[in-house]
Amino acid sequence: MDLLIANLAHGFSVALSWNNLLFAFIGCMIGTAIGVLPGIGPVATISLLLPITFGQPATTAIIMLAGIYYGAQYGGSTTAILLNLPGEVSSVVTTLEGYKMARRGRAGAALTIAALGSFFAGSVATVLVAASGPLLTSIALSFGPADYFSLMLLGLIIAAVLAQGSVIKSVGMVVLGVALGLVGTDVQTGQQRFTFGIPELSDGLGFAALAMGMFGIAEIILNLERPEARSVLTTKVGSLYLNREEVRRAVPSVLRGTLVGSALGILPGGGAALASFGSYMMERRLSKGRAEFGTGAIEGVAGPESANNAASQTSFIPLLTLGIPANAVMALMVGALIIQGIQPGPRMVEAQPDLFWGLIASMWIGNLMLLIINLPMIGMWVKLLQVPYRYMYPAILTFCAIGIYSINNNVFDVYLTVLFAIAGYLFAKLKMEPAPLLIGFVLGPMMEEHLRRAMLLSRGDPSVFIERPISGTLLAIAALALGMMLLPNLRRKKEEALAG
């Protein structure tokens, strides 16, 4: 306990430096803004901002990117409650009860419980990250190459299973992601793979080009297809204070949402959206006010908003301790760390204590900033929706092209980004979710490395993956998860849950 307190004190000393505080604030402001604006999620935003992080220290860059991620969870609730317009996927559920509360004149109460629930859940999740980090790190250090390979394979399969749409398509996207991750020069033999004689591909495909094209620019193209719709706020926000009855009903929902979100955030393929849906379904069954669901039950706001913020923070646990991304945003974080020359994994807590503990401390500071940013500035965020998209996108695309070119001063990266943007657009049209592809792209080279090490140590005997207890158990869970999701009954239930 004394060691944990000492480490957290060190983390706060790092996070409270003026530079890190400034970038935490910038991240929280950008996160809230993209949470408010529909169609621009944290995955697209972080992928577009990757080039900006290159000139910053690793700790500062990750603090800003993390602020964007959990800031988006706060911002998404504002327009979901006031305009029935979810700015972020995880806020879709909030529209169901939050907007009806606003129509009844309790918009202020809904906004308050969304912000306070998010702050409480985020604070609890931060404590969980701090407490579980060193423990899981010590366990991970006992893993061998075969165990790591099986763990990453399990992560890829669960990411595919929990993705929206067909499981077969999701598995195909994972395989494509792994294949794209293997493009370049083989580290051991020096042979070039899948380069087709193009010299620029000898170092592999650029992570920033793939992420920016497939998530950022493809999302912009899809948004331009949709007709602009601007809702007008016709109801007053009213008092931000909760009455005694609302407090009594909301507190258990916040606690349950925090628990659900903290658990689902750790799962590969989980994250904020799955947590908010899971919490809403739980509240409909367990809350005392379940008869009011559909007419503006405060539990339907308190639970999901707490869950999505808890999940966005606990998803850092597998990233910081095992080096395995739980979702597409965490895959971007892995990419950002690798670009900075840092390999995420169990040795990170010892090799990069400033980054590890500074990030954890900044999460609590960021949550406090978001509480202050969101409640007093509601009017400003709603006015942001009045900015036409046709003015925003040309500026975004211009900065993207400049940013991607500035990484290597090579126009080939710009062409590659355009190619991935077209691919991302086609995947969206074919209803093939690109998130499993990104996770496969990040984990593919790591899996190959651990596979080779395991086979060298076992002298070419593949049974090592089954004979090692940890590896064998992880492979069994992976096979079970994939097999169960191929069953029609369970597949239908998964689609219903993800569709809300």
Side-chain angles (χ1 to χ4, degrees):
M1 181 58 75
D2 290 343
L3 182 60
L4 179 62
I5 293 169
N7 285 328
L8 283 173
H10 174 68
F12 275 103
S13 71
V14 173
L16 289 170
S17 70
W18 286 110
N19 195 44
N20 288 340
L21 272 178
L22 174 64
F23 277 87
F25 179 74
I26 291 170
C28 290
M29 288 290 283
I30 293 172
T32 303
I34 59 108
V36 167
L37 290 168
I40 309 173
V43 178
T45 305
I46 291 171
S47 65
L48 294 173
L49 291 176
L50 274 177
I52 295 175
T53 65
F54 299 153
Q56 295 298 325
T59 304
T60 305
I62 298 302
I63 283 174
M64 185 188 76
L65 296 180
I68 292 171
Y69 182 37
Y70 53 77
Q73 314 310 320
Y74 275 81
S77 63
T78 302
T79 45
I81 291 166
L82 296 178
L83 303 173
N84 197 29
L85 195 66
E88 167 57 18
V89 178
S90 58
S91 299
V92 171
V93 173
T94 309
T95 61
L96 302 176
E97 306 300 327
Y99 184 63
K100 291 183 174 66
M101 283 185 71
R103 295 290 293 273
R104 289 198 288 110
R106 297 301 293 156
L111 289 165
T112 298
I113 196 59
L116 291 176
S118 294
F119 175 72
F120 173 80
S123 300
V124 170
T126 302
V127 172
L128 283 174
V129 176
S132 61
L135 177 66
L136 284 174
T137 297
S138 61
I139 294 170
L141 286 170
S142 65
F143 277 31
D147 304 325
Y148 263 115
F149 173 83
S150 300
L151 181 64
M152 290 177 182
L153 184 63
L154 172 63
L156 288 178
I157 287 174
I158 293 180
V161 163
L162 291 178
Q164 286 185 328
S166 161
V167 176
I168 303 297
K169 284 182 179 178
S170 298
V171 171
M173 292 297 274
V174 166
V175 173
L176 179 59
V178 171
L180 290 174
L182 299 179
V183 171
T185 306
D186 188 306
V187 178
Q188 291 189 3
T189 65
Q191 291 292 317
Q192 293 196 358
R193 303 181 297 190
F194 311 121
T195 58
F196 304 103
I198 302 170
E200 288 87 352
L201 292 180
S202 58
D203 289 333
L205 294 168
F207 178 83
L210 184 144
M212 193 181 283
M214 201 162 285
F215 289 89
I217 297 174
E219 191 66 34
I220 289 172
I221 299 168
L222 289 165
N223 279 326
L224 288 172
E225 279 190 348
R226 301 171 192 134
E228 279 195 43
R230 285 286 180 267
S231 301
V232 180
L233 181 61
T234 54
T235 55
K236 290 185 178 178
V237 172
S239 172
L240 294 173
Y241 293 102
L242 300 169
N243 60 41
R244 190 173 295 177
E245 173 65 14
E246 285 170 336
V247 171
R248 186 184 64 79
R249 287 170 54 185
V251 168
S253 298
V254 169
L255 294 172
R256 284 193 291 265
T258 302
L259 186 67
V260 170
S262 297
L264 291 179
I266 300 170
L267 286 178
L274 190 67
S276 62
F277 284 121
S279 174
Y280 184 77
M281 288 189 284
M282 178 184 278
E283 292 307 314
R284 288 194 68 161
R285 294 186 180 185
L286 299 181
S287 66
K288 291 182 180 178
R290 55 185 175 272
E292 285 188 30
F293 271 73
T295 61
I298 195 167
E299 295 93 337
V301 177
E305 282 300 314
S306 302
N308 68 32
N309 209 268
S312 70
Q313 310 225 6
T314 56
S315 57
F316 280 90
I317 292 175
L319 170 70
L320 294 174
T321 57
L322 302 170
I324 295 176
N327 51 50
V329 175
M330 292 302 111
L332 289 169
M333 296 287 183
V334 171
L337 286 168
I338 291 171
I339 286 165
Q340 293 274 358
I342 295 168
Q343 183 64 51
R347 299 197 182 277
M348 202 164 107
V349 67
E350 294 173 2
Q352 299 287 338
D354 283 8
L355 193 154
F356 187 91
W357 295 107
L359 175 61
I360 290 170
S362 77
M363 288 180 185
W364 192 86
I365 296 166
N367 274 287
L368 190 59
M369 284 179 178
L370 285 162
L371 191 62
I372 298 165
I373 288 168
N374 276 267
L375 287 178
M377 298 170 70
I378 289 162
M380 186 189 84
W381 299 121
V382 173
K383 282 182 181 177
L384 186 63
L385 281 165
Q386 296 170 2
V387 179
Y389 285 157
R390 63 181 178 274
Y391 297 146
M392 295 170 61
Y393 289 139
I396 293 171
L397 289 171
T398 303
F399 283 117
C400 284
I402 294 168
I404 202 71
Y405 177 79
S406 66
I407 296 171
N408 295 316
N409 293 325
N410 190 343
V411 74
F412 181 79
D413 291 340
V414 180
Y415 297 148
L416 210 55
T417 304
V418 173
L419 184 67
F420 283 126
I422 295 166
Y425 175 79
L426 292 175
F427 288 147
K429 289 296 180 185
L430 294 169
K431 300 192 184 306
M432 298 170 75
E433 195 176 343
L437 182 146
L438 185 65
I439 296 172
F441 180 78
V442 170
L443 289 183
M446 299 184 204
M447 286 179 69
E448 182 194 20
E449 184 184 340
H450 289 297
L451 174 65
R452 280 180 161 176
R453 284 182 187 174
M455 294 300 282
L456 281 169
L457 290 171
S458 66
R459 296 183 179 180
D461 184 6
S463 64
V464 67
F465 296 100
I466 300 167
E467 289 172 355
R468 282 186 66 88
I470 297 173
S471 176
T473 304
L474 292 170
L475 288 176
I477 295 168
L480 185 66
L482 190 58
M484 286 175 71
M485 271 304 124
L486 290 173
L487 297 174
N489 237 10
L490 283 171
R491 193 165 65 243
R492 191 164 55 249
K493 286 183 180 177
K494 182 200 84 166
E495 290 303 323
E496 287 171 4
L498 290 172

